Every structure is written in C-alpha cells, then in structure tokens.
Amino acid sequence: MLLLSSAAPMASSAVSFSLHDRTVAPHAALPYNVTTETYYSQPIPLKAGHMIFTLPSLTPLTMPPGVVALTGFFGDIVDEQHRPVPLSSVYDHHWIAVNSIHRNEICSQALDYVFGIGAESRWNPITFPSGYGYVVNNSEVKWAANIHLLRTEGLAGDNLLRAAKECNECYYAAGKGELCTPEQNGTFLCCAEGDSAGVASCPTREDNLPPERVYYLRYRVSYTRELRAITPVHVSVATAPDCALFYEVLRQSEEHPFHVAHMEFVAETNTTVLLAIGHLHVGGVNISMLVNDVRVCTSYPRYGRQQGVAGDELGYLVQMSQCVNESTGPVHWKEGDRIRIESWYDASPHDPRLLYSDGTHLNVMGYMYLAYTRASPPPSLAAGVTQRVDMMAPMDLKQSVVRGTRVWTRVPATQDLRGVGS
C-alpha cells in the first residue's frame, strides 16, 4: 500500500464565476416554474500543453440562495465567443460540483460530488425526472467545483495522437511538476492537481507553438422554489472497482481484449432509482448495474466521428447513454438486494474506435451516477459507520491492488455522521 500526498502546496489561483443570464419558464408537464441560470468564469489563459486542476476551496460556485430544489446541472468549456471547444484542443477530464454537506451513501470513502461530468459533458447534462429535485438550503451550504482541463495542442513527440493520449491519461513525463515522479505515473499528481494557474504542462515541441488562448468555464443550473411540487432525491456514485477513485487498465491480447472491474454492495433499504448514467474514459465499452445477478441497466459510450468538431470529436468518448431515466421508468431495489456495478474497457492493442490505441489506459474511471428515493436512511449512515470525504479539501490517496488491478482511493477523515445528511 502506498500513500500519495495530494496536500502539498502547488501553484494555484482562484477561479470565480459571474451570472450571465437567467430565464424562468413553466415546467413542460407539471404545474411549477423552473428557473435556469448560466454562469461564466473569468477568462482563463492556457498555453499549449498546459493543464489546470482546480482546488474546490479556490473554485466556489454560486447557487440560488435559500431553500431550492435543483432540477438540473450542466458544465463545459467555451472560447472567447462562447462556442464549445473541441476535446482535441482542450480535453475536459472532469467537471464536478460538490457541497459542504453532501454524503455519498454508496461509496462514502471515494468521493462526495453532487453533479459530475467529463468529456461527455455536452451530451450529458444532469436532469432529474419531472417532479423530482435535489433539495438544499443554500443559505447554509457552500458549493465548489473541481475542474480538470488539459490543452493538448503543440505537444512534443513524433506521434501527436499518442502524445495527446498520454497527456490526457496523466502519464509521467519530465517537467510536469515536482510532484509528478515515475512513481506517480497515471495519477493526478502528473495531471496538475491543485494547479489552477496553468503552470504545469505536458511536454511541448520547442518551436512553432500555437499561441496562448483564452477559455471560459461555464455552468448552468436549473431549480424551482415551489417545493410542494417536488419529491426530494438523493444522489450517490457507485465506482468500480470497490469504490476506487480511478484505476489502470493494462494491455490485453487481441483474443481476450476486455478488462472488467466491478464493485458490489447490498441495498440497505427499499430504493427507487430514478436516474442512472455511466461515466467512462476513452477505451470504455460500457458500465452496467445488476440486481441479484440480473442486468437491469447498461450505459453505453458513443465515440465521435468528425475531426475537430465539438461534440463529435473523432476518436473521443463524447456521450454516455442514460440507462435509467424518466422515459425508461425506475429500477427498484428491495432491502437486501445485491447490487453489482461492472465497468468494461477494451484493452486490445488496436481499438478501432480510437485514433491511437496501444491497449493500456491510465487514470480511468468506472462510475455509475445514481439519483433515487429511499424508504429510510441507510442504517450505516444512522449508526455513524459511514466515513466522509471532505471534497472541499486536498486529500491523500491510497494505492492498492484489487483483484489484480491497481487502483487509487481517497483516504477519508473519519467523522461521526449520525443524523447528518439523512
């Protein structure tokens, strides 16, 4: 077991957001109004090869004040004309929104985000089913973001597609910062963790670099104050393998190309799953939910087919299907049901969906985002067994091997959570 310190100081600066527009409209089917607000960050300059990995403590998000039901969230990156930026120019590794009281009831030791998206963000806004929302008193809650972007233009090397892959997957390279050592290969310490100033960089060529460019972070939040019309939902993220933050997939043979990671848990109370969406990285095949060994939900990726077109970038994972939503109807868990999450990656040397493939993928994720209602608080939460990860603060990472796969998990601070977040 290896502890990787993520709390060491690194160059960083604050990212702030301001309101750009607000609209109010009646819900399409139910008798309540929905307000939608769009926010933009200050200009963020990025040179070729540069990366940002914002600290939540320096990336506060503005949310509507008072008690509201959040009904949707979306986040992405745009240029000076507010046009979406292709992943082949700036890779959106992840864009997550956290708050100071949220609890992940399934993988409490992994991460506690409320809304999360990645490279698939343009096609995967979070929208809860009609009549449901995440109810929160924002007068008592702080919100923040962890945003990880990499500008992969102007990279060094004879194979620019390989260079982009290794930049996006946090490979070790000289010059990526003091904390990026060969031992941290594939970890966020080789991806500018804590460096929102854009100082850390993937290796770039020595001349004819593209110029520095300005980008903006954008998010959109939808909500209602008409709480009588809303049923509150809970949000958790189940991550494979075994609640890992991320893991590595090593090259397999052409005859047996797939790598499968899984996690299992037992439903502690009767639960109605209203929304389920997978999050995978490039190389992902699918991620599924099984209930008592019966597959009930599979989220599939879509890979882009057009060179440099935002939202359809050739060789990039650009969308994940929703396997439970308002159109499919809910999935029900009974107390005592065995829930299994399976994350599949193609680790063959020649993945035809990708522009460059050598089989190995570092810093991959297998997440299933879940919104649900439940009959009662999980007993483990009420008993204070659950450990909390403070997503507002830097955390140490623990490296271990789970069923032959190297994984990284967060090291949480143990807290008594009895009665919190129930």
Side-chain angles (χ1 to χ4, degrees), residues 141-203:
V141 173
K142 294 181 180 179
W143 285 84
N146 169 222
I147 302 169
H148 185 195
L149 306 173
L150 308 96
R151 187 176 174 199
T152 55
E153 296 175 311
L155 299 181
D158 296 332
N159 188 325
L160 299 184
L161 298 175
R162 175 180 177 179
K165 171 190 182 292
E166 295 185 354
C167 181
N168 294 336
E169 294 185 359
C170 307
Y171 275 63
Y172 163 77
K176 293 184 76 173
E178 294 181 358
L179 298 180
C180 179
T181 64
E183 291 74 25
Q184 319 311 346
N185 185 41
T187 75
F188 289 130
L189 297 180
C190 288
C191 258
E193 183 172 7
D195 177 30
S196 58
V199 174
S201 177
C202 291

Side-chain angles (χ1 to χ4, degrees), residues 382-410:
V385 175
T386 303
Q387 292 180 310
R388 176 179 180 251
V389 168
D390 183 359
M391 294 294 289
M392 296 290 187
M395 295 293 292
D396 287 335
L397 298 181
K398 179 179 69 175
Q399 176 187 309
S400 59
V401 176
V402 175
R403 295 181 292 277
T405 296
R406 192 160 62 143
V407 308
W408 286 260
T409 54
R410 286 186 179 270

Side-chain angles (χ1 to χ4, degrees), residues 75 87 91-95 116-122 279 281 317:
L87 295 169
Y91 186 71
D92 183 352
H93 187 285
H94 64 259
W95 208 130
I117 43 190
E120 72 278 13
S121 65
R122 293 186 183 94
H279 170 66
H281 288 182
L317 191 157

Side-chain angles (χ1 to χ4, degrees), residues 1 190 230 265 289 355 366:
M1 182 177 72
C190 288
I230 296 296
F265 62 96
M289 178 202 312
L355 289 175

Side-chain angles (χ1 to χ4, degrees), residues 240-401:
D242 292 12
C243 292
L245 184 64
F246 58 88
Y247 62 103
E248 67 179 16
V249 171
L250 301 182
R251 182 170 57 192
Q252 307 291 312
S253 67
E254 295 281 8
E255 294 77 19
H256 303 284
F258 299 117
H259 180 282
V260 185
H262 73 271
M263 64 88 67
E264 295 183 352
F265 62 96
V266 175
E268 296 187 78
T269 185
N270 292 343
T271 301
T272 299
V273 179
L274 302 162
L275 183 67
I277 312 170
H279 170 66
L280 301 171
H281 288 182
V282 167
V285 175
N286 63 59
I287 182 167
S288 296
M289 178 202 312
L290 295 84
V291 179
N292 298 326
D293 298 323
V294 177
R295 194 175 307 273
V296 299
C297 160
T298 300
S299 179
Y300 293 96
R302 179 171 67 86
Y303 285 81
R305 297 184 176 184
Q306 300 185 71
Q307 187 73 48
V309 175
D312 195 28
E313 296 90 339
L314 183 65
Y316 287 84
L317 191 157
V318 298
Q319 186 176 13
M320 291 295 299
S321 66
Q322 298 183 358
C323 59
V324 179
N325 59 22
E326 191 165 5
S327 66
T328 68
V331 168
H332 299 282
W333 302 341
K334 294 180 181 179
E335 181 180 342
D337 279 349
R338 291 178 294 105
I339 315 302
R340 178 182 175 99
I341 304 297
E342 291 186 353
S343 173
W344 289 66
Y345 274 79
D346 187 331
S348 63
H350 306 289
D351 185 339
R353 303 169 301 170
L354 313 183
L355 289 175
Y356 173 82
S357 173
D358 56 18
T360 292
H361 295 285
L362 304 185
N363 199 269
V364 305
M365 296 178 177
Y367 292 5
M368 184 69 83
Y369 179 89
L370 301 164
Y372 53 92
T373 60
R374 49 174 168 70
S376 60
S380 61
L381 183 67
V385 175
T386 303
Q387 292 180 310
R388 176 179 180 251
V389 168
D390 183 359
M391 294 294 289
M392 296 290 187
M395 295 293 292
D396 287 335
L397 298 181
K398 179 179 69 175
Q399 176 187 309
S400 59
V401 176

Side-chain angles (χ1 to χ4, degrees), residues 192-214:
E193 183 172 7
D195 177 30
S196 58
V199 174
S201 177
C202 291
T204 56
R205 55 181 182 259
E206 296 181 357
D207 54 11
N208 297 320
L209 285 176
E212 177 179 278
R213 290 180 179 152
V214 170

